[in-house]
Amino acid sequence: MIALWWSSNPFCWGGAAIPVGIDVQVESIDGISEVNMDFTITLYLRHYWKDERLAFPSRTNQSRTFDSRLVKKIWVPDVFFVHSKRSFIHDTTMENIMLRVYPDGNILYSVRVTVTALCSMDFSSFPLDTQNCSLELESYAYNENDLMLYWKNGNDSLRTDEIVLSQFFIEHFHPSSWYNRLFINFILRRHIFFFMLQTYFPTMLMVVLSWVSFWIDRRAVPARVSLGITTVLTMSTIITGVSSSMPQVSYVKAVDIYLWTSFLFVFLSVIEYAAIPSTSNASQAMAFDGCFHDNDMELTPFSRMAPALTSDPLTTPTYPDLRPTGGTRLRRQRSVRENVDLFVSNSYMIDSYSRLAFPLSYLLFNIIYWCLYS
């Protein structure tokens, strides 16, 4: 058995490193998990190298094809997938392994394999994010002095079928290498339409719905309170649903900023009603007409209205000029308490200001948000 291993291992003979060309055809990307931060890919992995010990004479120069039974009896490159979590070679109906030997000793070794590998994702811009994932190949036992991996046809060594994903769009597939390690790189851009329907549109509707309370009479306490509590609870449900489908990362995501800011708008619409002071005489507050209805006024004193008597009884008595002198008018001095009472009587104006301030503020937030992350 030792002699058989010695004869089947080309490195036992010494010499330069054996070049092994790699060619990959990606069949499908079966799944991408944000929670586990991994992806599953199915591909055809082809190895090319030359072993003169397997050369044979042939008049037609035609190759010979074998199945997995011969693979176990000869030396094949020990390529493995770095950072892989699970992988397997398909075996329906037989093992998907093909070995083709050419008369000059060139060998093509192809396997159909499915790999689940790690992809370090950055969710700071989620769901408006772009992810860079890569599948890495390397020799397990041999270094670059024994075995040298390279892409057989350069950038054309990586071929893909038409791949359609539910949540991602594949922007680019390209191979690369670093020392004795090969990389299959692909860039994934997330489709935003799904999250617009499931997250953003419902959130916008809840914020707009919370503004309806500004048009409800402030004396209708059950209606305004029920509407406020309903929108707050709905926003909490949306936030919980999004968080449960995402990994527990220690940084803030773009969707978190939008959801929590929207939640703040909904919460402030409830607090706005609490800021309107209640009064027992609601009709008086509603009928506020801008005039002062109190008796605390200081009037400029005028001279008493007395006729000027003359000694002549036949003369018509004259009255003094009662017209106020220039600059004389009604004056009122309000204390701090009176200013507070004035605000209370005018508190219904808070709803009027909120009808304009809340929509404009939320519109400004949306403009900044979408310009920043789009």
Side-chain angles (χ1 to χ4, degrees):
M1 182 177 295
I2 296 178
L4 178 61
W5 173 84
W6 183 273
S7 61
S8 64
N9 192 340
F11 302 106
C12 297
W13 300 93
I18 296 179
V20 177
I22 299 295
D23 189 355
V24 172
Q25 179 177 351
V26 179
E27 180 181 359
S28 64
I29 296 179
D30 304 318
I32 299 174
S33 174
E34 291 89 354
V35 177
N36 299 324
M37 287 194 180
D38 58 26
F39 64 94
T40 302
I41 185 172
T42 300
L43 50 86
Y44 297 93
L45 180 61
R46 303 184 181 97
H47 311 70
Y48 300 86
W49 76 96
K50 186 174 184 179
D51 192 343
E52 296 181 353
R53 299 171 301 173
L54 298 179
F56 60 93
S58 176
R59 295 181 179 180
T60 59
N61 199 27
Q62 292 183 348
S63 61
R64 295 181 181 179
T65 303
F66 305 91
D67 57 17
S68 60
R69 291 174 293 179
L70 181 61
V71 173
K72 300 177 182 179
K73 299 180 180 180
I74 66 172
W75 178 88
V76 294
D78 60 343
V79 175
F80 80 107
F81 299 98
V82 184
H83 305 308
S84 66
K85 297 181 178 180
R86 295 173 299 275
S87 62
F88 63 90
I89 298 175
H90 291 260
D91 55 0
T92 306
T93 56
M94 294 288 293
E95 282 189 308
N96 296 172
I97 296 177
M98 186 268 292
L99 184 69
R100 181 172 297 167
V101 181
Y102 294 87
D104 58 356
N106 285 311
I107 300 174
L108 166 61
Y109 170 53
S110 176
V111 294
R112 181 169 176 257
V113 60
T114 294
V115 183
T116 300
L118 175 68
C119 178
S120 299
M121 301 182 182
D122 181 14
F123 298 107
S124 57
S125 298
F126 177 89
L128 305 170
D129 56 334
T130 300
Q131 303 296 340
N132 297 320
C133 298
S134 63
L135 184 63
E136 306 175 16
L137 297 85
E138 189 178 10
S139 174
Y140 186 80
Y142 305 111
N143 56 30
E144 62 274 9
N145 296 323
D146 299 325
L147 185 147
M148 178 61 66
L149 295 177
Y150 70 96
W151 290 110
K152 180 175 177 56
N153 299 312
N155 291 334
D156 296 332
S157 301
L158 180 60
R159 296 185 296 273
T160 61
D161 297 336
E162 184 177 356
I163 300 175
V164 178
L165 301 177
S166 59
Q167 293 190 23
F168 290 92
F169 171 74
I170 302 177
E171 288 189 344
H172 187 50
F173 256 113
H174 66 280
S176 63
S177 61
W178 185 75
Y179 284 93
N180 205 29
R181 180 175 294 186
L182 305 181
F183 298 85
I184 301 174
N185 306 296
F186 53 97
I187 301 175
L188 302 173
R189 180 168 55 86
R190 195 182 304 273
H191 292 302
I192 187 59
F193 187 71
F194 171 80
F195 295 94
M196 292 295 296
L197 293 179
Q198 298 296 324
T199 303
Y200 286 99
F201 284 160
T203 301
M204 293 178 185
L205 291 178
M206 286 300 103
V207 175
V208 174
L209 182 61
S210 68
W211 299 340
V212 176
S213 63
F214 302 150
W215 278 267
I216 300 178
D217 194 329
R218 61 195 177 101
R219 292 170 294 184
V221 178
R224 297 192 64 159
V225 172
S226 300
L227 180 60
I229 297 301
T230 300
T231 53
V232 168
L233 294 178
T234 304
M235 283 299 303
S236 300
T237 303
I238 295 175
I239 294 175
T240 303
V242 173
S243 300
S244 62
S245 62
M246 292 296 299
Q248 305 301 316
V249 295
S250 59
Y251 50 84
V252 179
K253 303 181 290 293
V255 68
D256 294 335
I257 296 177
Y258 193 90
L259 290 177
W260 283 105
T261 304
S262 300
F263 181 84
L264 180 62
F265 274 92
V266 173
F267 183 75
L268 289 178
S269 67
V270 179
I271 299 300
E272 182 268 349
Y273 180 63
I276 301 178
S278 60
T279 175
S280 58
N281 191 3
S283 60
Q284 179 181 356
M286 295 294 293
F288 183 79
D289 57 0
C291 299
F292 300 109
H293 303 285
D294 58 332
N295 298 322
D296 299 333
M297 288 189 176
E298 295 181 1
L299 303 179
T300 303
F302 297 98
S303 58
R304 296 181 59 86
M305 190 181 303
L309 301 178
T310 60
S311 59
D312 190 355
L314 300 178
T315 306
T316 303
T318 60
Y319 294 89
D321 188 5
L322 299 180
R323 291 176 297 178
T325 59
T328 304
R329 60 180 180 179
L330 297 178
R331 296 194 306 269
R332 179 178 184 274
Q333 297 177 354
R334 294 195 300 267
S335 63
V336 175
R337 180 177 180 179
E338 290 174 332
N339 288 327
V340 174
D341 293 339
L342 177 62
F343 173 77
V344 171
S345 63
N346 200 25
S347 60
Y348 71 95
M349 292 297 295
I350 297 179
D351 278 345
S352 300
Y353 297 146
S354 299
R355 295 169 189 172
L356 183 63
F358 274 73
L360 290 180
S361 300
Y362 194 65
L363 178 61
L364 178 61
F365 162 71
N366 275 272
I367 293 175
I368 296 175
Y369 178 87
W370 294 108
C371 291
L372 183 62
Y373 288 102
S374 296

